[in-house]
Every structure is written in structure tokens, then in C-alpha cells.
Amino acid sequence: MSKDYKYLFISIKPEFAEKILSKEKCIELRKVRPHVQSGDYVIIYASAPIMGVVGIARVKQIIETSPKEMWNLYSSFLGIDRQRYDEYYHGLNRSIGIELDSVRALASPITLKELRKEVPSFHPPQIYRYVTNEQICSVLSRYFQNLKDGNR
């Protein structure tokens, strides 16, 4: 029986989205654990000023640990400097990392305007949201042929 994959639509600052697409960053940091697992998809939306879907990746694993241990074990994969990392997790005892693989970049972003042509009520998430296969297919399917090869 085939698995029904989840699609996690995440908003990321353009600086970090670019680092993911260039494979300089392979762990996306979060404060809240998303309900995804290995094999699920992550749709990468770069926030302003790009405001568009720039790529897609697969979840390799979810890492849940203390901020100190996350930094000690994975700092070279996080794409962030220590000061901003410490500010992000200040006062928290838990850090979440979404390890990504099979990262693929779109040849050009799917803009918010284009997304709203298909789904007029669409609003990019502040942090993340789940989307259904149907939503993904109707909005993104015609763009998949534009994917650049991004396999590791």
C-alpha cells in the first residue's frame, strides 16, 4: 500500500531559502515540531521581497533536541551564525530541525500572485501549514517540469 505523503508549506526568509537551494543549509530550524516524517514533502516559500515558491524538498528526518546539542552536532548544516542562532532559541529548551534532502529549485519562483490565480484565498503561512495533494497538484503541477536537478 502506498504512503499518503504530507506536504508542508513553509515560509523562509530569502537568505535561508537560497542557502537551502544551494545546499549550504540542509537543516531548517523551527521552534515548533511539524507533524511530518521521513519522505514527506516541504514546499519552500521565500518571504518578502521574493514572495514565491522557490523549491521543494523531502524530509529526511526531524531532529528534536536541546538548542545546545543542536548547535554542537549540526552547526555546519544550519546556515546561520551563532549569534542569530542563540537569539532565535533564547529561553527555549527545545530546538527542532527539519533535515532536508532531494532539494530541487524551481527555474523561477511561483509568485504569490500566480498562487492566488489558482486559489484566490491563499495566504502564505507565517510559520508553516499543511496543504492537501489536491491543492498542490492544482497550483504546482505545471511548474514541476521547470525543476532544476537538485539531488544530493
Side-chain angles (χ1 to χ4, degrees):
M1 179 177 256
S2 69
K3 178 185 184 320
D4 286 330
Y5 292 106
K6 288 185 182 174
Y7 294 82
L8 182 69
F9 196 108
I10 58 175
S11 291
I12 302 176
K13 291 180 181 179
E15 168 192 2
F16 298 117
E18 180 54 41
K19 287 181 178 183
I20 289 171
L21 297 177
S22 70
K23 298 178 187 57
E24 181 182 339
K25 172 183 175 71
C26 62
I27 297 176
E28 172 59 16
L29 296 169
R30 296 287 148 158
K31 293 178 182 175
V32 177
R33 188 187 200 288
H35 297 287
V36 292
Q37 57 189 344
S38 179
D40 288 339
Y41 292 90
V42 174
I43 298 160
I44 303 164
Y45 177 89
S47 59
I50 294 173
M51 295 173 36
V53 174
V54 295
I56 190 166
R58 303 282 305 255
V59 174
K60 184 173 183 179
Q61 69 172 327
I62 300 293
I63 303 162
E64 189 169 349
T65 188
S66 71
K68 181 179 180 180
E69 186 171 310
M70 178 74 76
W71 182 263
N72 289 341
L73 294 174
Y74 302 105
S75 60
S76 62
F77 305 105
L78 303 177
I80 191 171
D81 62 78
R82 182 65 189 257
Q83 181 180 343
R84 291 197 295 174
Y85 178 85
D86 287 344
E87 288 170 4
Y88 185 70
Y89 283 115
H90 179 74
L92 300 175
N93 353 338
R94 183 175 73 153
S95 62
I96 306 297
I98 306 170
E99 186 174 3
L100 303 171
D101 68 4
S102 302
V103 176
R104 292 181 178 256
L106 293 175
S108 60
I110 304 170
T111 65
L112 181 56
K113 184 178 179 180
E114 291 173 282
L115 291 169
R116 286 187 173 153
K117 280 181 190 173
E118 298 289 332
V119 183
S121 63
F122 179 81
H123 291 285
Q126 290 295 319
I127 301 168
Y128 63 78
R129 71 184 267 195
Y130 304 98
V131 291
T132 66
N133 290 353
E134 220 172 86
Q135 289 171 312
I136 291 302
C137 289
S138 70
V139 178
L140 301 178
S141 63
R142 70 176 172 270
Y143 294 95
F144 286 128
Q145 71 270 14
N146 295 327
L147 289 174
K148 296 177 186 174
D149 186 26
N151 289 323
R152 284 187 225 219

